[in-house]
Amino acid sequence: TVVGSYVVTIGGNFPDEGGFTKLDEIDVARFHDDGSLDGWQVAGHAPSPRTECTAVGVGSTLFLLDGIYDDASKEGHVFSADLASDGTLGVLAPAGALPAGVDVFDDLAFSAAGGIWSTYASLDGSCDLLGASGAAPLDSWTTSPFLSEFRGRPEWATATAAGETYAYVLGGY
């Protein structure tokens, strides 16, 4: 995701003996108008090692919406922290919870119209949009239909033009 003038990566994993080890590292690289990036640096750490992270930046604030954590008690809880101009992340603090039974693992998240939005797969196989205000606590969510059929593992993109934000779904199985 992007927070301020930084590209942000969160968690991930690497193969080890007989499995994978999840990471809690949050890394950032400042981007420039010409598209170039400075070197990557460690900005902070997630509350638990995680993969399949869904996150969004609102101004200088990073929101971790969900992910598959080593500590499963963190799943479904939103965390946020401010990213300083030098690329260091403040301490991630609880910032709300997702609706019961909803997960947003590895989904598209974006900020538009003063709110935070994320796609999520419904039990009926469709894909809906989950929305909340753009400030903590994120405890009041709305849902809106987005796609009428399941699109497993698509690529997502958003673009804003003339004040309107558009979401694109590319591919999927």
Side-chain angles (χ1 to χ4, degrees):
T1 193
V2 173
V3 178
S5 60
Y6 287 92
V7 174
V8 180
T9 64
I10 303 155
N13 63 23
F14 64 90
D16 61 13
E17 296 177 20
F20 290 88
T21 297
K22 291 180 186 164
L23 304 171
D24 69 351
E25 200 168 280
I26 299 174
D27 298 321
V28 298
R30 183 184 303 274
F31 68 87
H32 300 279
D33 291 340
D34 65 1
S36 65
L37 294 175
D38 287 346
W40 290 93
Q41 67 185 54
V42 176
H45 295 273
S48 169
R50 66 188 293 156
T51 60
E52 318 305 321
C53 181
T54 299
V56 63
V58 178
S60 64
T61 303
L62 172 66
F63 287 91
L64 304 183
L65 299 182
D66 209 1
I68 300 174
Y69 288 93
D70 273 358
D71 178 354
S73 72
K74 305 295 185 197
E75 291 174 11
H77 296 276
V78 179
F79 297 89
S80 70
D82 287 334
L83 184 66
S85 61
D86 67 356
T88 56
L89 187 66
V91 175
L92 285 158
L98 297 175
V102 170
D103 67 60
V104 290
F105 301 152
D106 202 20
D107 284 294
L108 168 72
F110 59 96
S111 174
I116 291 173
W117 302 89
S118 178
T119 57
Y120 76 99
S122 296
L123 294 176
D124 67 4
S126 65
C127 181
D128 293 334
L129 277 177
L130 185 65
S133 72
L138 302 180
D139 288 325
S140 179
W141 297 89
T142 61
T143 59
S144 304
F146 183 57
L147 295 173
S148 60
E149 61 186 58
F150 177 73
R151 301 280 299 249
R153 299 306 234 184
E155 293 296 318
W156 302 93
T158 61
T160 301
E164 294 289 325
T165 300
Y166 300 90
Y168 300 92
V169 184
L170 310 167
Y173 61 84

